[in-house]
Amino acid sequence: AMACVMAGSGHLGSLRLLRVLRRCADNDVSYGFHMSISMAIGLLFLGGGRLTLGTSKAAVAALVTSLFPRFPLAPTDGRYHLQALRHLYVLAAEARCLEAVDVDTGEPAMIPLRLVLR
């Protein structure tokens, strides 16, 4: 859930938490756990920070399908989770853009913009 909220941001605190979770390696940790952590890290850096998750009905449906809650226990376990479905999150990805619009007319407007990267 955190990766969906922070998708495409590359938030360092979220990455640190996911890396701590990824290091868990006891007998109770399944293949699906590692797969979900890897997917979360991928969502965190979606498109190298240039993409985010869309909110349209099709985007939400693709995201729910790809993040199906029954992850496999082993790499060969295909009872509940079809491996190809986990790649459907790509259909939910949308480019981030800043569009300035005139409040009165609703038309696109040219404005001076200064971008500061930290």
PDB file of all heavy atoms in Angstrom, residues 32-50:
ATOM      1  N   GLY A  32       6.459 -15.495  -2.470  1.00  0.00           N
ATOM      2  CA  GLY A  32       5.510 -14.413  -2.713  1.00  0.00           C
ATOM      3  C   GLY A  32       5.840 -13.159  -1.925  1.00  0.00           C
ATOM      4  O   GLY A  32       5.622 -12.041  -2.396  1.00  0.00           O
ATOM      5  N   PHE A  33       6.377 -13.327  -0.710  1.00  0.00           N
ATOM      6  CA  PHE A  33       6.772 -12.177   0.099  1.00  0.00           C
ATOM      7  C   PHE A  33       7.887 -11.413  -0.599  1.00  0.00           C
ATOM      8  O   PHE A  33       7.835 -10.183  -0.729  1.00  0.00           O
ATOM      9  CB  PHE A  33       7.231 -12.648   1.481  1.00  0.00           C
ATOM     10  CG  PHE A  33       7.749 -11.549   2.363  1.00  0.00           C
ATOM     11  CD1 PHE A  33       6.878 -10.730   3.039  1.00  0.00           C
ATOM     12  CD2 PHE A  33       9.111 -11.337   2.492  1.00  0.00           C
ATOM     13  CE1 PHE A  33       7.352  -9.713   3.844  1.00  0.00           C
ATOM     14  CE2 PHE A  33       9.598 -10.326   3.295  1.00  0.00           C
ATOM     15  CZ  PHE A  33       8.710  -9.511   3.983  1.00  0.00           C
ATOM     16  N   HIS A  34       8.904 -12.136  -1.056  1.00  0.00           N
ATOM     17  CA  HIS A  34      10.008 -11.488  -1.751  1.00  0.00           C
ATOM     18  C   HIS A  34       9.542 -10.852  -3.063  1.00  0.00           C
ATOM     19  O   HIS A  34      10.007  -9.774  -3.439  1.00  0.00           O
ATOM     20  CB  HIS A  34      11.139 -12.481  -2.016  1.00  0.00           C
ATOM     21  CG  HIS A  34      11.880 -12.873  -0.786  1.00  0.00           C
ATOM     22  ND1 HIS A  34      12.719 -11.998  -0.131  1.00  0.00           N
ATOM     23  CD2 HIS A  34      11.907 -14.019  -0.077  1.00  0.00           C
ATOM     24  CE1 HIS A  34      13.229 -12.591   0.936  1.00  0.00           C
ATOM     25  NE2 HIS A  34      12.749 -13.826   0.982  1.00  0.00           N
ATOM     26  N   MET A  35       8.601 -11.518  -3.750  1.00  0.00           N
ATOM     27  CA  MET A  35       8.085 -10.970  -4.994  1.00  0.00           C
ATOM     28  C   MET A  35       7.315  -9.670  -4.737  1.00  0.00           C
ATOM     29  O   MET A  35       7.452  -8.698  -5.485  1.00  0.00           O
ATOM     30  CB  MET A  35       7.176 -11.993  -5.673  1.00  0.00           C
ATOM     31  CG  MET A  35       6.778 -11.600  -7.070  1.00  0.00           C
ATOM     32  SD  MET A  35       5.924 -12.909  -7.945  1.00  0.00           S
ATOM     33  CE  MET A  35       4.302 -12.751  -7.244  1.00  0.00           C
ATOM     34  N   SER A  36       6.538  -9.621  -3.669  1.00  0.00           N
ATOM     35  CA  SER A  36       5.772  -8.408  -3.372  1.00  0.00           C
ATOM     36  C   SER A  36       6.694  -7.257  -2.964  1.00  0.00           C
ATOM     37  O   SER A  36       6.444  -6.102  -3.337  1.00  0.00           O
ATOM     38  CB  SER A  36       4.738  -8.685  -2.286  1.00  0.00           C
ATOM     39  OG  SER A  36       5.361  -9.038  -1.070  1.00  0.00           O
ATOM     40  N   ILE A  37       7.762  -7.537  -2.233  1.00  0.00           N
ATOM     41  CA  ILE A  37       8.717  -6.485  -1.868  1.00  0.00           C
ATOM     42  C   ILE A  37       9.417  -5.956  -3.116  1.00  0.00           C
ATOM     43  O   ILE A  37       9.603  -4.741  -3.277  1.00  0.00           O
ATOM     44  CB  ILE A  37       9.741  -7.005  -0.837  1.00  0.00           C
ATOM     45  CG1 ILE A  37       9.058  -7.368   0.470  1.00  0.00           C
ATOM     46  CG2 ILE A  37      10.852  -5.985  -0.610  1.00  0.00           C
ATOM     47  CD1 ILE A  37       8.408  -6.207   1.192  1.00  0.00           C
ATOM     48  N   SER A  38       9.790  -6.836  -4.024  1.00  0.00           N
ATOM     49  CA  SER A  38      10.432  -6.405  -5.266  1.00  0.00           C
ATOM     50  C   SER A  38       9.490  -5.561  -6.110  1.00  0.00           C
ATOM     51  O   SER A  38       9.901  -4.551  -6.707  1.00  0.00           O
ATOM     52  CB  SER A  38      10.900  -7.613  -6.065  1.00  0.00           C
ATOM     53  OG  SER A  38      11.889  -8.312  -5.360  1.00  0.00           O
ATOM     54  N   MET A  39       8.219  -5.936  -6.162  1.00  0.00           N
ATOM     55  CA  MET A  39       7.237  -5.151  -6.897  1.00  0.00           C
ATOM     56  C   MET A  39       7.057  -3.775  -6.257  1.00  0.00           C
ATOM     57  O   MET A  39       6.907  -2.770  -6.955  1.00  0.00           O
ATOM     58  CB  MET A  39       5.909  -5.886  -6.965  1.00  0.00           C
ATOM     59  CG  MET A  39       5.909  -7.068  -7.900  1.00  0.00           C
ATOM     60  SD  MET A  39       4.366  -7.988  -7.889  1.00  0.00           S
ATOM     61  CE  MET A  39       3.286  -6.827  -8.689  1.00  0.00           C
ATOM     62  N   ALA A  40       7.078  -3.720  -4.927  1.00  0.00           N
ATOM     63  CA  ALA A  40       6.921  -2.443  -4.228  1.00  0.00           C
ATOM     64  C   ALA A  40       8.093  -1.509  -4.529  1.00  0.00           C
ATOM     65  O   ALA A  40       7.903  -0.307  -4.742  1.00  0.00           O
ATOM     66  CB  ALA A  40       6.802  -2.682  -2.728  1.00  0.00           C
ATOM     67  N   ILE A  41       9.313  -2.053  -4.570  1.00  0.00           N
ATOM     68  CA  ILE A  41      10.474  -1.233  -4.909  1.00  0.00           C
ATOM     69  C   ILE A  41      10.363  -0.742  -6.352  1.00  0.00           C
ATOM     70  O   ILE A  41      10.672   0.409  -6.657  1.00  0.00           O
ATOM     71  CB  ILE A  41      11.782  -2.009  -4.668  1.00  0.00           C
ATOM     72  CG1 ILE A  41      11.977  -2.237  -3.170  1.00  0.00           C
ATOM     73  CG2 ILE A  41      12.984  -1.272  -5.257  1.00  0.00           C
ATOM     74  CD1 ILE A  41      13.136  -3.142  -2.822  1.00  0.00           C
ATOM     75  N   GLY A  42       9.877  -1.594  -7.232  1.00  0.00           N
ATOM     76  CA  GLY A  42       9.674  -1.183  -8.622  1.00  0.00           C
ATOM     77  C   GLY A  42       8.645  -0.067  -8.745  1.00  0.00           C
ATOM     78  O   GLY A  42       8.824   0.878  -9.520  1.00  0.00           O
ATOM     79  N   LEU A  43       7.552  -0.163  -7.978  1.00  0.00           N
ATOM     80  CA  LEU A  43       6.540   0.898  -8.005  1.00  0.00           C
ATOM     81  C   LEU A  43       7.088   2.199  -7.436  1.00  0.00           C
ATOM     82  O   LEU A  43       6.731   3.284  -7.894  1.00  0.00           O
ATOM     83  CB  LEU A  43       5.305   0.474  -7.214  1.00  0.00           C
ATOM     84  CG  LEU A  43       4.382  -0.533  -7.878  1.00  0.00           C
ATOM     85  CD1 LEU A  43       3.290  -0.960  -6.913  1.00  0.00           C
ATOM     86  CD2 LEU A  43       3.786   0.027  -9.143  1.00  0.00           C
ATOM     87  N   LEU A  44       7.939   2.095  -6.443  1.00  0.00           N
ATOM     88  CA  LEU A  44       8.510   3.286  -5.814  1.00  0.00           C
ATOM     89  C   LEU A  44       9.335   4.100  -6.813  1.00  0.00           C
ATOM     90  O   LEU A  44       9.329   5.326  -6.775  1.00  0.00           O
ATOM     91  CB  LEU A  44       9.373   2.862  -4.622  1.00  0.00           C
ATOM     92  CG  LEU A  44       9.852   3.964  -3.701  1.00  0.00           C
ATOM     93  CD1 LEU A  44       8.679   4.660  -3.039  1.00  0.00           C
ATOM     94  CD2 LEU A  44      10.767   3.380  -2.639  1.00  0.00           C
ATOM     95  N   PHE A  45      10.012   3.416  -7.728  1.00  0.00           N
ATOM     96  CA  PHE A  45      10.844   4.089  -8.730  1.00  0.00           C
ATOM     97  C   PHE A  45      10.229   3.964 -10.122  1.00  0.00           C
ATOM     98  O   PHE A  45      10.944   3.854 -11.113  1.00  0.00           O
ATOM     99  CB  PHE A  45      12.256   3.507  -8.709  1.00  0.00           C
ATOM    100  CG  PHE A  45      12.988   3.835  -7.451  1.00  0.00           C
ATOM    101  CD1 PHE A  45      13.041   2.925  -6.420  1.00  0.00           C
ATOM    102  CD2 PHE A  45      13.588   5.063  -7.292  1.00  0.00           C
ATOM    103  CE1 PHE A  45      13.693   3.234  -5.245  1.00  0.00           C
ATOM    104  CE2 PHE A  45      14.244   5.384  -6.126  1.00  0.00           C
ATOM    105  CZ  PHE A  45      14.301   4.472  -5.093  1.00  0.00           C
ATOM    106  N   LEU A  46       8.935   4.017 -10.215  1.00  0.00           N
ATOM    107  CA  LEU A  46       8.197   3.840 -11.467  1.00  0.00           C
ATOM    108  C   LEU A  46       8.657   4.848 -12.521  1.00  0.00           C
ATOM    109  O   LEU A  46       8.557   6.057 -12.328  1.00  0.00           O
ATOM    110  CB  LEU A  46       6.703   4.010 -11.188  1.00  0.00           C
ATOM    111  CG  LEU A  46       5.720   3.581 -12.255  1.00  0.00           C
ATOM    112  CD1 LEU A  46       5.863   2.085 -12.526  1.00  0.00           C
ATOM    113  CD2 LEU A  46       4.306   3.870 -11.812  1.00  0.00           C
ATOM    114  N   GLY A  47       9.181   4.348 -13.603  1.00  0.00           N
ATOM    115  CA  GLY A  47       9.626   5.204 -14.694  1.00  0.00           C
ATOM    116  C   GLY A  47      10.765   6.127 -14.319  1.00  0.00           C
ATOM    117  O   GLY A  47      10.911   7.191 -14.915  1.00  0.00           O
ATOM    118  N   GLY A  48      11.545   5.757 -13.328  1.00  0.00           N
ATOM    119  CA  GLY A  48      12.641   6.615 -12.889  1.00  0.00           C
ATOM    120  C   GLY A  48      12.155   7.932 -12.306  1.00  0.00           C
ATOM    121  O   GLY A  48      12.847   8.930 -12.367  1.00  0.00           O
ATOM    122  N   GLY A  49      10.941   7.926 -11.750  1.00  0.00           N
ATOM    123  CA  GLY A  49      10.382   9.131 -11.155  1.00  0.00           C
ATOM    124  C   GLY A  49       9.561   9.966 -12.124  1.00  0.00           C
ATOM    125  O   GLY A  49       9.022  10.997 -11.755  1.00  0.00           O
ATOM    126  N   ARG A  50       9.442   9.521 -13.366  1.00  0.00           N
ATOM    127  CA  ARG A  50       8.694  10.273 -14.366  1.00  0.00           C
ATOM    128  C   ARG A  50       7.254   9.806 -14.497  1.00  0.00           C
ATOM    129  O   ARG A  50       6.460  10.445 -15.175  1.00  0.00           O
ATOM    130  CB  ARG A  50       9.380  10.173 -15.725  1.00  0.00           C
ATOM    131  CG  ARG A  50      10.725  10.901 -15.757  1.00  0.00           C
ATOM    132  CD  ARG A  50      11.419  10.743 -17.084  1.00  0.00           C
ATOM    133  NE  ARG A  50      11.840   9.343 -17.217  1.00  0.00           N
ATOM    134  CZ  ARG A  50      11.656   8.615 -18.304  1.00  0.00           C
ATOM    135  NH1 ARG A  50      11.085   9.125 -19.347  1.00  0.00           N
ATOM    136  NH2 ARG A  50      12.054   7.367 -18.346  1.00  0.00           N
TER     137      ARG A  50
END
